[in-house]
Amino acid sequence: FELLETLIISSTVKYIENTPFKNTSLKTVEFKGNEEPITLCSEEAFDSKITYIDVPITYTSSDFCSKIPRTNGQANECGETCSWKYYHSNTTLLIWGSGSMKNFETTTSMPWNGQQNRMTNAEIYGVNSVGKNSFNEFKQLSNVIFESTVTEIGESSFYNCEGITTITLPSSLITIGNSAFSKTKIETIDIPSTVTSIGENAFSGCEKLKSILIPDTVQTIGVAAFAGCKNLARVTIPDSVTAVGGNAFDDCTRLEKVVLGSGITTIEDGTFYNCASLKEVTMTVNVTAIDFAAFYGCGDLKDVYYTGSEEDWNKITIGLFNDRLNKATIHYAYLECKHEYNKYEVLPTCTKQGYTWYCCSICGDNYSEDYVAPVGHSYDSGVKKEPTCTSIAFIDTDIKKVVVPLSSNNL
């Protein structure tokens, strides 16, 4: 088979033994109708000369994809050891391989750019890093699947992907790059307990974002990381975080409560700028500086719960344009409760919103979020009631004229 260049494998094939196509001229492999993954007995079943391979969408990196030979400089490469294929039938992009994807320096340089207004699904298997700008401005993209090999989501990878409302980040993730999910429609985000860094503008402009869970593995939160998240209501920064960039929560206009962990020593410029609904802040004695306009525009700020003494508070360097902070009531020597919240679901009625209510079983602290609209009335067709001697007799009729006899005394 030295001259063999093209191979079509039918759906009846289930196994490929050892290295049957080694030392051939095979360049193209196509799988026709194979819904069940083929088991390879050897990762060297195909020679590295192959430049094109058509992979069924049902395959994942746990079966056949992880063993697919890498291409050599062809159009379906997206990294030295990464490949891609777009499926028009279900508008899905499949990326598989190992190592890092390429970084695309412009928003039009990714090889699947032609599907920008069509692609709805992306599945990423085996790779460690999602490249810069990989899906920047893919506004129809709504579903993304990551395999738990991804450790980094690159800069602007999903910037302005308006179709994304929910996303499950991989349990292997370490770094969320600058602007990675900026201007998406994500409503809630649970950051995996492997993440150590959240980049600049990572979730900025996510106006639908209502809640975030930041684990105690995170060490740094970048400049403007959550700026403009206008529906975010509460934020807790764990003790592991040692740096929160300036303007990190700028213009989070519905933010009401903030808890800053013991790792924070400086509240940077504009961190909570224009958080107009902010009512209370908890901070530790480790805070030594509150920089320029950190709390500017926080007109509702009334209470600061501070773990240090009044003497400690007076040692803090407070920059200009923090007038509202200076007018707030400072609660000294505050012992923060390690809240244990119970969750209660309140269902919507015809006229009232539903929501989730959280109440701490230790101190009684409580809050509500995840509001849903009233369900509205749903009227049935009614019950027709026959008239009686005293009830209305002509309701819901098509009568246009009634003649009442002279002998009638009552209607």
Side-chain angles (χ1 to χ4, degrees):
F1 296 100
E2 292 182 3
L3 301 179
L4 180 64
E5 293 186 356
T6 300
L7 176 67
I8 298 175
I9 301 176
S10 75
S11 59
T12 58
V13 176
K14 300 302 179 186
Y15 297 94
I16 301 177
E17 299 286 350
N18 298 321
T19 58
F21 304 105
K22 191 76 171 177
N23 299 321
T24 68
S25 299
L26 192 61
K27 295 181 179 179
T28 301
V29 179
E30 294 185 28
F31 292 82
K32 295 297 184 182
N34 298 72
E35 295 182 358
E36 295 297 324
I38 291 176
T39 300
L40 291 186
C41 296
S42 168
E43 294 190 11
E44 298 180 352
F46 295 107
D47 193 278
S48 60
K49 294 177 182 177
I50 293 176
T51 57
Y52 177 80
I53 190 161
D54 189 345
V55 189
I57 192 65
T58 51
Y59 287 14
T60 69
S61 63
S62 61
D63 38 62
F64 186 68
C65 280
S66 63
K67 301 170 184 176
I68 291 176
R70 301 284 69 82
T71 58
N72 297 310
Q74 302 302 305
N76 60 335
E77 280 192 351
C78 55
E80 289 185 4
T81 54
C82 305
S83 301
W84 69 276
K85 180 172 175 58
Y86 182 73
Y87 292 81
H88 292 272
S89 59
N90 57 4
T91 60
T92 297
L93 178 73
L94 177 65
I95 294 173
W96 71 92
S98 61
S100 299
M101 290 174 57
K102 290 180 180 178
N103 287 319
F104 304 104
E105 295 305 318
T106 68
T107 58
T108 58
S109 59
M110 68 287 288
W112 46 83
N113 178 59
Q115 311 305 325
Q116 190 174 53
N117 295 319
R118 302 181 186 90
M119 186 190 301
T120 58
N121 306 292
E123 300 184 16
I124 302 169
Y125 299 106
V127 304
N128 303 128
S129 175
V130 179
K132 176 182 177 181
N133 287 320
S134 291
F135 301 95
N136 192 323
E137 299 278 359
F138 277 63
K139 296 185 178 182
Q140 301 303 313
L141 183 63
S142 60
N143 182 51
V144 182
I145 296 175
F146 300 98
E147 191 180 35
S148 56
T149 56
V150 175
T151 59
E152 179 180 4
I153 297 177
E155 180 179 340
S156 301
S157 293
F158 298 94
Y159 177 86
N160 205 21
C161 291
E162 295 180 347
I164 297 179
T165 58
T166 61
I167 196 161
T168 301
L169 298 178
S171 59
S172 52
L173 189 61
I174 296 174
T175 302
I176 301 175
N178 297 346
S179 302
F181 295 99
S182 180
K183 295 189 176 182
T184 62
K185 302 297 183 184
I186 294 173
E187 295 184 6
T188 62
I189 188 75
D190 287 349
I191 297 172
S193 58
T194 50
V195 171
T196 61
S197 174
I198 300 173
E200 298 179 6
N201 288 289
F203 296 94
S204 65
C206 294
E207 296 187 354
K208 300 290 185 180
L209 185 63
K210 298 176 181 178
S211 65
I212 53 172
L213 178 62
I214 302 174
D216 59 8
T217 55
V218 174
Q219 299 170 13
T220 59
I221 297 174
V223 171
F226 296 95
C229 295
K230 295 182 181 296
N231 274 290
L232 194 59
R234 297 164 66 93
V235 171
T236 297
I237 307 297
D239 294 341
S240 59
V241 176
T242 57
V244 176
N247 298 94
F249 297 93
D250 182 340
D251 205 31
C252 293
T253 52
R254 293 190 181 180
L255 185 63
E256 295 184 358
K257 183 175 180 179
V258 172
V259 177
L260 300 175
S262 60
I264 301 300
T265 58
T266 299
I267 302 176
E268 302 278 357
D269 293 354
T271 298
F272 300 102
Y273 184 95
N274 199 34
C275 291
S277 300
L278 186 61
K279 294 178 173 59
E280 63 179 79
V281 177
T282 299
M283 65 180 74
T284 74
V285 69
N286 295 337
V287 173
T288 59
I290 300 174
D291 288 349
F292 179 83
F295 291 95
Y296 182 83
C298 299
D300 282 353
L301 183 59
K302 294 179 175 63
D303 297 287
V304 175
Y305 296 91
Y306 178 64
T307 62
S309 65
E310 184 174 3
E311 182 181 359
D312 293 326
W313 177 264
N314 291 331
K315 293 178 182 177
I316 297 175
T317 302
I318 300 178
L320 295 174
F321 296 103
N322 285 298
D323 295 348
R324 193 64 206 178
L325 176 68
N326 293 325
K327 294 177 182 178
T329 300
I330 313 299
H331 303 269
Y332 301 109
Y334 174 70
L335 295 177
E336 183 185 354
C337 175
K338 299 298 183 181
H339 296 301
E340 295 180 7
Y341 289 104
N342 293 319
K343 179 179 177 180
Y344 303 93
E345 300 287 343
V346 179
L347 297 176
T349 67
C350 295
T351 57
K352 294 183 178 180
Q353 289 180 313
Y355 55 90
T356 304
W357 184 58
Y358 297 86
C359 182
C360 177
S361 60
I362 300 173
C363 69
D365 180 67
N366 63 88
Y367 65 97
S368 300
E369 64 180 16
D370 299 331
Y371 286 88
V372 294
V375 295
H377 296 296
S378 179
Y379 293 104
D380 58 27
S381 57
V383 177
K384 187 173 183 179
K385 184 178 179 182
E386 296 297 327
T388 66
C389 297
T390 58
S391 66
I392 297 175
F394 304 113
I395 191 169
D396 294 333
T397 67
D398 295 325
I399 295 174
K400 296 180 179 179
K401 181 178 181 180
V402 175
V403 178
V404 180
L406 293 175
S407 59
S408 295
N409 295 319
N410 273 322
L411 284 180

